[in-house]
């Protein structure tokens, strides 16, 4: 009886594992391509809203961001890389108002329309962000 239960449990776990990872199995760098709106904030209360474009090769085109203080600040020089394809996870970097930001972990949804992540930057510390494909 216990062997039947363990066999059934192992089968159920295998099915769960396969179905949970298969949703992201086809994730590639090009899934990030398109027009995005990013909302980024840090622990110091700073925030910005940035519209920008990501190319199929992961390059981030420059943009003007609306900062929390009401001014426009530049976003430039960004690049994304796929580092955990089975989890649709990316890392990368960009410059915002002259500061270098490093994306440590970003995950994109299975429909490739929403993304969120965390990172660090010199002078400001940790930040987190959410992106919505336009």
């Amino acid at each position: 009886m216990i062997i039947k239960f363990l066999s059934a449990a192992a089968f159920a776990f295998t099915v769960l594992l396969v179905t949970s990872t298969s949703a992201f199995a086809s994730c590639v760098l090009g899934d990030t391509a398109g027009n995005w709106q990013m909302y980024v904030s840090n622990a110091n209360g700073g925030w910005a809203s940035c519209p920008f474009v990501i190319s199929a090769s992961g390059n981030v085109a420059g943009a003007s961001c609306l900062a929390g203080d009401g001014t426009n600040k530049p976003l430039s020089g960004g690049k994304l890389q796929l580092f955990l394809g089975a989890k649709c996870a990316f890392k990368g970097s960009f410059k915002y108002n002259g500061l270098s930001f490093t994306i440590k972990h970003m995950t994109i949804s299975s429909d490739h329309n929403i993304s969120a992540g965390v990172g660090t930057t010199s002078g400001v510390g940790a930040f987190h962000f959410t992106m919505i494909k336009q």
Side-chain angles (χ1 to χ4, degrees):
M1 184 65 138
I2 291 177
I3 293 175
K4 281 185 178 181
F5 173 76
L6 291 176
S7 294
F11 176 75
F13 177 74
T14 302
V15 169
L16 179 63
L17 182 63
V18 169
T19 57
S20 66
T21 58
S22 65
F24 295 111
S26 63
C27 184
V28 296
L29 183 57
D31 292 335
T32 62
N35 297 312
W36 291 87
Q37 180 71 37
M38 176 173 66
Y39 303 94
V40 59
S41 62
N42 64 40
N44 299 329
W47 64 269
S49 173
C50 307
F52 62 94
V53 178
I54 300 176
S55 73
S57 61
N59 293 314
V60 177
S64 180
C65 302
L66 175 62
D69 64 6
T71 62
N72 289 317
K73 301 193 184 306
L75 178 113
S76 63
K79 179 76 175 167
L80 290 177
Q81 298 173 290
L82 180 66
F83 79 97
L84 288 173
K87 299 288 185 183
C88 240
F90 299 83
K91 61 183 178 178
S93 63
F94 61 91
K95 287 191 181 276
Y96 170 72
N97 199 34
L99 295 174
S100 294
F101 283 66
T102 301
I103 298 169
K104 297 292 190 175
H105 190 101
M106 176 184 105
T107 304
I108 193 168
S109 63
S110 60
D111 65 1
H112 309 132
N113 289 319
I114 298 173
S115 184
V118 295
T120 59
T121 185
S122 59
V124 180
F127 67 93
H128 63 275
F129 62 93
T130 301
M131 299 179 354
I132 301 168
K133 194 176 268 189
Q134 302 296 295

